[in-house]
Amino acid sequence: VQGDVNALSGLTKLAYLDLEDCIEVQGDVNALSGLTKLTNLDLCGCEKLEGNMDALRQLTKLEKLYLGNCSQVEGDIIALGGLTKLTHLDLRRCSQVQGNLSALSQLTALKELRLNGCTQVEGETRRISGVLPQGNIL
């Protein structure tokens, strides 16, 4: 699959979008901000995607968000703090993502959190470990 994510912006009834490892997909994640019915968004490996994570704050029905290896996506993880239905969050190797882990303390449904390679994310995992039932912070 290749092309610009802007082409998907009109699919407002879409609940599940899986573009994992579609390395030729490009564009700004802001194009997805209107897909408010999404419950699962997998963009892992879409290395050409760019933009600010702030655009994702409107996707309040998300249960699973996978952005691993989206190294050009930037922003503060505080933008995800209101996505309280999230059970899985993967930000592995999102080197432009920043912020403090305490921003995720409201994600009480979270079961899995992947942050390895997020060199600009700081804070103590024990502050959010009570949120994760089995402490699945990777």
Side-chain angles (χ1 to χ4, degrees):
V1 175
Q2 58 185 348
D4 196 307
V5 292
N6 287 327
L8 304 174
S9 63
L11 302 176
T12 56
K13 294 182 181 179
L14 196 64
Y16 188 98
L17 179 58
D18 186 347
L19 295 173
E20 182 179 7
D21 292 328
C22 293
I23 59 173
E24 294 301 319
V25 170
Q26 58 190 356
D28 193 318
V29 294
N30 190 50
L32 305 176
S33 65
L35 305 182
T36 57
K37 299 220 187 302
L38 279 177
T39 59
N40 190 321
L41 178 58
D42 190 342
L43 301 173
C44 278
C46 296
E47 299 171 353
K48 294 182 180 179
L49 277 182
E50 53 188 28
N52 196 297
M53 281 196 325
D54 197 51
L56 303 177
R57 76 172 56 232
Q58 297 174 47
L59 306 181
T60 57
K61 293 185 179 183
L62 274 181
E63 296 171 9
K64 297 181 180 183
L65 176 59
Y66 302 102
L67 294 175
N69 292 317
C70 292
S71 57
Q72 295 183 59
V73 174
E74 61 185 21
D76 196 309
I77 59 174
I78 199 165
L80 306 178
L83 303 181
T84 56
K85 294 183 179 181
L86 277 182
T87 59
H88 294 75
L89 177 58
D90 183 350
L91 298 174
R92 290 173 295 151
R93 292 178 286 286
C94 290
S95 56
Q96 301 302 313
V97 172
Q98 60 191 12
N100 194 292
L101 286 173
S102 62
L104 304 179
S105 63
Q106 299 302 311
L107 304 182
T108 56
L110 207 57
K111 295 178 182 173
E112 185 173 275
L113 175 62
R114 294 176 177 257
L115 294 171
N116 46 318
C118 293
T119 56
Q120 296 186 60
V121 174
E122 56 188 31
E124 297 180 29
T125 57
R126 66 183 166 96
R127 293 195 186 242
I128 61 165
S129 61
V131 171
L132 296 168
Q134 291 129 358
N136 292 329
I137 302 173
L138 307 170

